[in-house]
Amino acid sequence: MIIPALVDLADENEEWRVFVGASLLVGMVSVLVAVATRGQRPKFTQRLGFLLVTTVWLVAVVVGSLPIYFSEVNVTFAGAFFESMSGLTTTGSTVISGLDALSPGILMWRSLLQWLGGIGIVGMVLLILPSLQAGGLALFHMESSDKSDKVLPRINQLVGGLVTAYVVLTVMCVVTYTALGMTFFDAVNHAMTTVATAGFSTHDASIGYFDDNRILFAAIVFMILGALPFVIYIRAFLPRRFQLWRDPQIVVFLMICLVLSLAMSVTRRVVNDTPFDEALLSSAFNLVSIITTTGYASEDYTLWSNAAIGLFFLATFLGGCAGSTSGGIKANRLVILYLLVRSSFRRLVRPHAVIRLKYGNDDISPQTIQTVTIFFFLFFGALLTGTVLLTMLGLDLVTAFTGSLTALANVGPAFGQIIGPAGNFGSLPDPVLWILSIGMLLGRLELVTVLILLFPSVWLD
């Protein structure tokens, strides 16, 4: 909170007092909690891990909401909580309008929340607090869907490598944006939210404010880099052969981005008579933004055509790669689901055949199949439940369904006149914002981590 306070102080904006006050409040409470909980630490268990991860995220969201609630931004606490949740879960949905007139400290705070949420609050905690090493790797996996092999021997080395890669990508993005004409302030803010595949901007018009095709292209590159498994950046410096394409999800993710961008470009060329080169860049930018769950928009793509709306609706489900900053279903699950369907069809034709399921060079275990199946069941169950609840609160079906979807997938913009790419969530009532906030948390922690706490059997010894 001191960083945005210094930004406001340098701008001679009185909002710096809000950040200093919130910082002192959180600091005092933290000291009291630390003193009150001295003594022997409890033994780490899976149950404690699930509880700790969910609690850390909820506390972080409450802390993040304080400066927004006490600032000049005219929002209720539900709105501030929603904005903070959207930031830390890298969703990118917002209840705030008039961004161009806000204090630079608030804009910086929103970007910082997304940047911290991108690498994962738990990942940062594991790096900073060695006392959690005992259950460190288990905690990191509960917070993230990255189930890749242990490329470094110790958890602090692994998290340190991930954070280093994250920081380096962010710095590269800042330099690129600055070189392309952004002010340093805009470049820093947009770099943090681009690499985090998060989507908050310093302008109401988002990236479209800059009206520069070079910036759109640079954003495409860094959104894709942020949506790749961060473990590959560590592998690139290890003393053994580096194979980018060894992970099937990377190939599938890149092919999805390419095929959908080309399909959208051809559609716009035929339907809207848009020049192909112009259609290709804007289509690729907006589609990659949705696929990677970043949520930037250069224009209102829902006005292009019905076919465009259909492609963007499909893209909202997809997500980037496991082990990245992206949300959504993720490419690795799509690969495993395809392999399951293919093997089932083969067994129908050859009932006695022995078919081995392989993900790249590795066999797919029954536990992995079970995990993927449970995820799909919970994802669509939560999507339908959220839709029903939102319609009961008075939203139309399109707004309710796509709002629930964009929250669970951590995408940002939805569809419809209210929460589409040209709108925001500010006009929604508080009960709707609370439900969407829960949806964002479920999506960021991949459902199981939170929902498992609701089963009474989990708490029985």
Side-chain angles (χ1 to χ4, degrees):
M1 293 180 185
I2 298 302
I3 295 173
L6 293 174
V7 170
D8 269 343
L9 193 60
D11 191 60
E12 299 183 353
N13 192 300
E14 294 298 318
E15 288 291 288
W16 68 268
R17 303 174 189 273
V18 171
F19 290 102
V20 172
S23 178
L24 291 174
L25 174 62
V26 173
M28 288 188 294
V29 173
S30 299
V31 169
L32 290 175
V33 171
V35 171
T37 55
R38 286 181 302 174
Q40 187 175 3
R41 296 183 182 89
K43 180 181 177 182
F44 181 83
T45 63
Q46 289 293 103
R47 179 169 57 188
L48 175 61
F50 285 118
L51 179 62
L52 184 60
V53 168
T54 304
T55 304
V56 164
W57 275 89
L58 285 173
V59 171
V61 171
V62 172
V63 170
S65 68
L66 295 179
I68 299 172
Y69 180 62
F70 292 120
S71 72
E72 62 183 10
V73 181
N74 185 22
V75 293
T76 62
F77 183 74
F81 186 88
F82 175 93
E83 193 78 10
S84 179
M85 180 69 80
S86 179
L88 283 167
T89 58
T90 71
T91 302
S93 303
T94 182
V95 296
I96 302 175
S97 57
L99 297 176
D100 301 81
L102 282 184
S103 72
I106 288 294
L107 296 175
M108 176 63 73
W109 180 241
R110 294 167 77 245
S111 300
L112 277 171
L113 288 177
Q114 294 205 317
W115 192 75
L116 290 171
I119 194 63
I121 294 296
V122 174
M124 299 294 287
V125 167
L126 290 177
L127 180 67
I128 296 169
L129 300 179
S131 61
L132 293 178
Q133 281 185 39
L137 194 59
L139 276 174
F140 185 73
H141 282 169
M142 288 173 189
E143 185 275 334
S144 170
S145 61
D146 181 13
K147 300 294 184 182
S148 53
D149 53 326
K150 201 172 178 180
V151 295
L152 293 174
R154 299 180 62 185
I155 181 62
N156 59 341
Q157 292 176 326
L158 172 62
V159 178
L162 294 174
V163 173
T164 300
Y166 192 61
V167 172
V168 169
L169 277 180
T170 306
V171 172
M172 290 170 57
C173 193
V174 171
V175 172
T176 302
Y177 281 155
T178 305
L180 293 177
M182 282 190 186
T183 65
F184 182 70
F185 180 77
D186 278 341
V188 170
N189 279 273
H190 284 88
M192 286 194 287
T193 60
T194 300
V195 174
T197 60
F200 276 164
S201 176
T202 53
H203 304 282
D204 285 322
S206 189
I207 289 286
Y209 170 86
F210 302 100
D211 194 23
D212 191 328
N213 289 339
R214 299 173 304 161
I215 290 177
L216 294 186
F217 182 78
I220 291 172
V221 172
F222 282 101
M223 284 189 292
I224 289 176
L225 291 176
L228 296 178
F230 271 66
V231 172
I232 69 171
Y233 301 122
I234 300 177
R235 289 186 185 278
F237 294 96
L238 293 180
R240 55 176 177 261
R241 188 177 177 184
F242 172 63
Q243 294 179 328
L244 178 65
W245 314 112
R246 190 177 71 172
D247 192 343
Q249 68 171 333
I250 296 177
V251 178
V252 169
F253 164 67
L254 294 177
M255 286 300 297
I256 287 174
C257 291
L258 178 61
V259 170
L260 289 187
S261 297
L262 289 175
M264 182 72 76
S265 304
V266 172
T267 300
R268 293 183 64 196
R269 181 71 184 94
V270 173
V271 176
N272 306 107
D273 199 27
T274 307
F276 186 77
D277 56 342
E278 177 186 334
L280 180 60
L281 181 61
S282 59
S283 298
F285 172 80
N286 288 284
L287 270 169
V288 168
S289 177
I290 297 300
I291 294 170
T292 60
T293 71
T294 305
Y296 286 144
S298 62
E299 54 187 294
D300 188 354
Y301 45 75
T302 60
L303 301 178
W304 290 350
S305 66
N306 288 333
I309 294 175
L311 287 175
F312 276 104
F313 178 70
L314 172 64
T316 305
F317 286 91
L318 301 176
C321 299
S324 71
T325 59
S326 289
I329 291 176
K330 294 193 172 72
N332 67 320
R333 293 193 182 97
L334 296 176
V335 173
I336 293 173
L337 183 64
Y338 166 75
L339 294 174
L340 283 173
V341 172
R342 188 181 67 176
S343 66
S344 297
F345 286 170
R346 286 182 176 176
R347 286 194 179 94
L348 290 175
V349 178
R350 301 180 182 86
H352 302 293
V354 178
I355 301 173
R356 294 177 62 189
L357 290 177
K358 297 183 72 69
Y359 181 89
N361 297 324
D362 302 320
D363 290 327
I364 300 176
S365 67
Q367 183 182 5
T368 300
I369 295 173
Q370 182 184 43
T371 301
V372 170
T373 305
I374 290 173
F375 175 85
F376 276 100
F377 174 78
L378 292 177
F379 183 89
F380 287 101
L383 174 60
L384 294 177
T385 302
T387 301
V388 171
L389 291 176
L390 293 178
T391 53
M392 291 173 65
L393 291 172
L395 298 187
D396 62 274
L397 185 59
V398 171
T399 303
F401 182 79
T402 61
S404 181
L405 172 59
T406 196
L408 276 173
N410 302 129
V411 172
F415 295 86
Q417 304 247 333
I418 303 174
I419 56 176
N424 70 17
F425 292 69
S427 62
L428 299 179
D430 284 358
V432 171
L433 296 181
W434 286 117
I435 292 173
L436 292 176
S437 296
I438 294 171
M440 287 187 279
L441 182 66
L442 288 173
R444 184 61 178 87
L445 298 186
E446 313 229 317
L447 295 141
V448 173
T449 305
V450 180
L451 294 179
I452 195 173
L453 301 176
L454 304 180
F455 282 80
S457 58
V458 172
W459 303 102
L460 298 177
D461 294 325

